[in-house]
Amino acid sequence: MSKRIEVHDLNVYYGDFLALEDVSLQIEPRSVTAFIGPSGCGKSTLLRTLNRMHEVVPGAHVEGEVLIGGNDLYAPGVDPVLVRRQVGMVFQRPNPFPTMSIRENVLAGVKLNNRKISKADSDDLVESSLKGANLWSEVQDRLHKPGASLSGGQQQRLCIARAIAVSPEVVLMDEPCSALDPISTLAIEDLIEELKQEYTIVIVTHNMQQASRVSDKTAFFNIAGAGKPGKLIEYDDTDTIFSRPSVQATEDYVSGKFG
């Protein structure tokens, strides 16, 4: 189900501006990889290139390759909509569709992909996706209530349920806990640990403790100054990055000297 991600010699541009320069890395299936680094260093940009979300910005384009399961996402003729079905995305702020019920939110991606699905199958999918997001027991009696009626932490888990309902191979998370309280954050972190049994997960986080708790590998990005491109400085097992990094800038960042 989950697949390896390979990034080769990737440059990401917004118009003429080079936002991210010469990134190469491999992300193993069924693992959690954290992207860390100061604001503006390109970590969210890289995350969005993994499902071509950055292309919603006019003038955005890439050079290089992004392979998922050996297939280049940027090969001629590849449909970005199909890429986004394969690679789910959970955003910084929970964004359930406000006019839809909890049930409709879970099924939104499936309906968007024009999958015809029977009532029984959709019931099963809603239940399995909400169970997968550790939300079923809290909402099973009110599936027809608006998704927006849930608490922030529940809304974020609803968004995760919506992302996994379409059976992606990769789940991207862009600071999924930054708008949440500590209890909800813990629930999402526990969930990430469970989800990696089935999915390849990549998370952008500003929270060093979170990166060290949830990820198997960590990539540290940095930027030489305003207007300069972000670069991948160091990529290794999370233990190594936090206890014995090989680059001084990594050590300065994870120990809180800057960022």
Side-chain angles (χ1 to χ4, degrees), residues 20 82 122 221 236:
L20 198 58
L82 294 180
S122 60
F221 296 83
D236 211 327

Side-chain angles (χ1 to χ4, degrees), residues 6-11 23 62-67 72-74:
E6 297 170 66
V7 177
H8 299 298
D9 308 320
L10 188 72
N11 292 311
V23 173
V62 305
E63 294 166 353
E65 289 183 321
V66 178
L67 307 176
D72 186 359
L73 303 192
Y74 292 91

Side-chain angles (χ1 to χ4, degrees), residues 47-48 51 53 56 84 88-95 155-156 159-160 162-163 172-180:
L47 191 75
R48 286 161 179 268
N51 74 345
M53 271 300 288
V56 301
R84 290 170 202 149
M89 184 87 158
V90 177
F91 295 94
Q92 189 168 359
R93 299 212 165 263
N95 59 345
Q155 287 185 25
Q156 193 62 300
C159 294
I160 292 171
R162 185 174 71 197
L172 309 176
M173 300 187 174
D174 194 357
E175 296 189 53
C177 304
S178 66
L180 304 180

Side-chain angles (χ1 to χ4, degrees), residues 65-185:
E65 289 183 321
V66 178
L67 307 176
I68 293 189
N71 299 314
D72 186 359
L73 303 192
Y74 292 91
V78 173
D79 181 351
V81 174
L82 294 180
V83 170
R84 290 170 202 149
R85 188 182 308 176
Q86 189 186 8
V87 185
M89 184 87 158
V90 177
F91 295 94
Q92 189 168 359
R93 299 212 165 263
N95 59 345
F97 299 116
T99 59
M100 290 187 186
S101 68
I102 294 167
R103 175 191 161 83
E104 289 165 339
N105 261 286
V106 176
L107 295 172
V110 179
K111 299 257 169 77
L112 201 64
N113 294 327
N114 296 322
R115 264 179 54 201
K116 292 283 180 274
I117 183 167
S118 70
K119 170 81 166 67
D121 285 347
S122 60
D123 288 345
D124 289 346
L125 182 60
V126 167
E127 181 172 343
S128 64
S129 302
L130 288 168
K131 280 182 172 165
N134 281 349
L135 191 57
W136 175 251
S137 61
E138 294 164 53
V139 302
Q140 59 181 337
D141 301 328
R142 47 183 177 141
L143 295 177
H144 297 289
K145 292 274 189 346
S149 67
L150 299 174
S151 72
Q154 289 173 325
Q155 287 185 25
Q156 193 62 300
R157 281 180 284 148
L158 178 60
C159 294
I160 292 171
R162 185 174 71 197
I164 63 178
V166 295
S167 305
E169 288 150 355
V170 176
V171 178
L172 309 176
M173 300 187 174
D174 194 357
E175 296 189 53
C177 304
S178 66
L180 304 180
D181 63 88
I183 303 279
S184 300
T185 296

Side-chain angles (χ1 to χ4, degrees), residues 10-22 63 227-230:
L10 188 72
N11 292 311
V12 186
Y13 291 87
Y14 292 110
D16 296 331
F17 174 64
L18 178 59
L20 198 58
E21 185 174 32
D22 197 26
E63 294 166 353
K228 297 273 201 276

